[in-house]
């Protein structure tokens, strides 16, 4: 298949491109580069094309998903079989401060994207959803039958609302195939260390904060709360290696080929690790100290969140292969090789 990958220069998108090409697919990337770097695509081509002649080239368009004319131009040049939709604003804290921007970008942009897709006869979409749609989950481990909860921030609401939008579109037009992948907590990096998580400014997620402390960019890690009802008092999450997560999208394409209609899947390991579990594993595996201090809980954080991924294994043939050691090893390998992340291509 030829796949449109929106947000393909980002953390998860770049890793997914590698898995797509390994599986024999091709891709076209659309990204506005608001939270990504085109250097990631150059390195993806390098990884995919190692030893290949001629070199691999992935068509790239610097286009915002809200730009109808820009998207129309991409579809005019390429026949797309499906879309893997990563593009969107994704910082939980920022979404609380800028709700209009999040609803306008994530929801408005997706509506424009889907409209252009259907006009060009491309009615297959894999949507990058999130465990945040469960809110404070009614059950642990979380299954897909767990009711969607009250989201605690606008980012989560955009994911929850867009799931409903896409399901309603499929219900009205059964030619659509919609796969909703509910990610848990992506970490890690490609084993080569050439691509990885490259946040702008202060990291919003745990692992890039740990690696930036380890490499000396930040003084210490702030651990928000040590009084949760968990084994060590810190929050427990389902961390998943980004390469495993990327592979789930390839499996989802097989579901689309079988004309799945609507498919909803939790994408996690099924194991919960606390914040301090991750810190201790990082220190143990990499031999690098990570100073931390305990800070007050953050509003909206929950104690425990991990999934039951059995449905993805049964229906998609997908399951996580990598454990906590590989997650922290590959995260550090990326940061160690790229202490400042990707180079700023705008600097002379």
């Amino acid at each position: 298949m030829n796949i449109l990958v929106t947000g393909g220069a980002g953390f998860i998108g770049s890793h997914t491109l590698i898995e797509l090409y390994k599986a024999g697919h091709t891709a076209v990337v659309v990204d506005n580069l608001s939270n990504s770097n085109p250097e990631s695509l150059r390195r993806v081509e390098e990884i995919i094309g190692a030893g290949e002649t001629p070199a691999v080239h992935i068509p790239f368009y610097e286009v915002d998903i809200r730009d109808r004319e820009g998207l129309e131009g991409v579809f005019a040049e390429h026949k797309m079989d499906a879309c893997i939709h990563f593009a969107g604003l994704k910082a939980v804290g920022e979404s609380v401060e800028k709700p209009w921007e999040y609803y306008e970008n994530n929801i408005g942009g997706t509506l424009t994207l889907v409209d252009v897709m259907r006009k060009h006869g491309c009615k297959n979409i894999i949507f990058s959803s999130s465990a945040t749609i469960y809110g404070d989950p009614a059950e642990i481990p979380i299954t897909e039958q767990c009711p969607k909860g009250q989201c605690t921030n606008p980012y989560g609401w955009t994911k929850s609302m867009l799931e409903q939008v896409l399901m309603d579109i499929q219900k009205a037009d059964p030619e659509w195939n919609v796969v909703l992948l509910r990610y848990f907590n992506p970490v890690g990096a490609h084993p080569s260390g050439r691509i990885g998580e490259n946040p702008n400014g202060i990291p919003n997620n745990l692992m890039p904060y740990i690696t930036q402390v380890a490499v000396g960019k930040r003084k210490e890690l702030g651990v928000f709360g040590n009084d949760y009802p968990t084994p060590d008092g810190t929050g427990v999450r389902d961390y998943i290696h980004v390469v495993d997560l990327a592979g789930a999208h390839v499996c989802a394409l097989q579901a689309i080929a079988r004309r799945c209609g609507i498919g909803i899947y939790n994408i996690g390991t099924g194991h919960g690790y606390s914040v301090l579990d991750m810190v201790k594993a990082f220190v143990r595996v990499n031999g690098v100290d990570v100073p931390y201090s305990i800070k007050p809980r953050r509003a909206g954080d929950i104690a425990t969140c991990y999934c039951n991924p059995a449905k993805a294994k049964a229906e998609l043939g997908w399951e996580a292969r990598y454990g906590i050691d590989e997650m922290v090893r590959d995260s550090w390998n990326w940061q160690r090789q790229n202490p400042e992340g990707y180079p700023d291509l705008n600097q002379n």
Side-chain angles (χ1 to χ4, degrees):
M1 293 187 189
N2 192 37
I3 314 300
L4 175 67
V5 182
T6 69
F11 174 44
I12 303 172
S14 58
H15 288 81
T16 299
L17 289 171
I18 293 172
E19 299 307 306
L20 286 172
Y21 276 79
K22 280 172 60 177
H25 301 290
T26 55
V28 175
V29 171
V30 162
D31 198 307
N32 69 1
L33 302 180
S34 65
N35 192 33
S36 56
N37 189 309
E39 173 66 9
S40 67
L41 295 177
R42 191 191 70 77
R43 296 186 184 188
V44 164
E45 290 177 338
E46 173 190 294
I47 292 167
I48 294 170
E52 295 289 328
T53 304
V56 172
H57 172 65
I58 301 173
F60 166 64
Y61 297 84
E62 188 175 344
V63 171
D64 192 294
I65 56 170
R66 295 169 294 180
D67 178 0
R68 181 181 296 271
E69 184 178 342
L71 289 176
E72 290 279 5
V74 175
F75 274 87
E77 288 194 41
H78 301 274
K79 168 99 172 57
M80 310 293 186
D81 298 302
C83 173
I84 299 179
H85 180 27
F86 296 112
L89 300 175
K90 61 176 185 176
V92 168
E94 183 183 63
S95 78
V96 176
E97 299 168 4
K98 300 179 177 180
W100 183 87
E101 287 82 354
Y102 270 67
Y103 289 118
E104 191 268 344
N105 183 89
N106 293 7
I107 295 179
T110 301
L111 290 174
T112 299
L113 170 68
V114 168
D115 192 35
V116 173
M117 286 175 62
R118 68 180 179 177
K119 287 181 178 177
H120 288 268
C122 179
K123 294 184 177 182
N124 299 309
I125 188 167
I126 299 169
F127 178 60
S128 171
S129 191
S130 167
T132 58
I133 63 97
Y134 292 113
D136 194 348
E139 61 183 20
I140 297 288
I142 301 167
T143 68
E144 290 81 358
Q145 285 69 48
C146 182
K148 291 166 73 170
Q150 287 292 313
C151 297
T152 57
N153 55 76
Y155 163 75
W157 279 119
T158 66
K159 294 297 187 183
S160 183
M161 291 175 181
L162 284 170
E163 282 199 0
Q164 191 63 51
V165 166
L166 293 170
M167 288 191 289
D168 287 346
I169 288 170
Q170 197 282 333
K171 183 177 180 181
D173 180 359
E175 288 187 2
W176 277 90
N177 292 291
V178 172
V179 180
L180 308 175
L181 298 184
R182 293 172 175 170
Y183 307 163
F184 280 70
N185 294 70
V187 296
H190 191 266
S192 68
R194 296 292 289 152
I195 61 171
E197 192 165 6
N198 185 48
N200 290 336
I202 299 172
N204 294 295
N205 298 325
L206 174 64
M207 188 51 65
Y209 212 111
I210 290 175
T211 62
Q212 288 191 11
V213 170
V215 85
K217 284 188 72 172
R218 305 199 180 276
K219 180 181 176 182
E220 64 177 15
L221 170 71
V223 177
F224 296 102
N226 67 343
D227 57 350
Y228 288 103
T230 61
D232 63 20
T234 63
V236 169
R237 298 292 182 269
D238 190 335
Y239 296 95
I240 177 170
H241 198 295
V242 66
V243 174
D244 279 332
L245 177 58
H249 297 80
V250 177
C251 294
L253 286 174
Q254 296 167 2
I256 280 176
R258 298 193 299 267
R259 303 218 34 93
C260 61
I262 293 176
I264 302 174
Y265 302 98
N266 288 332
I267 305 298
T269 65
H271 301 287
Y273 294 106
S274 74
V275 173
L276 293 184
D277 286 336
M278 298 300 284
V279 171
K280 291 172 183 176
F282 187 93
V283 172
R284 172 178 55 81
V285 170
N286 298 312
V288 183
D289 193 30
V290 179
Y292 66 87
S293 63
I294 305 298
K295 299 185 180 299
R297 292 186 186 188
R298 288 185 302 194
D301 277 355
I302 60 177
T304 302
C305 182
Y306 61 92
C307 78
N308 179 341
K311 184 181 178 187
K313 181 177 181 180
E315 296 187 11
L316 300 181
W318 173 89
E319 62 181 326
R321 297 175 296 159
Y322 299 112
I324 189 171
D325 286 10
E326 290 89 354
M327 296 179 203
V328 298
R329 179 200 66 202
D330 292 341
S331 295
W332 176 235
N333 188 35
W334 149 256
Q335 191 75 77
R336 181 177 52 80
Q337 291 189 42
N338 304 270
E340 299 299 324
Y342 294 118
D344 185 347
L345 301 183
N346 294 319
Q347 291 183 347
N348 294 324

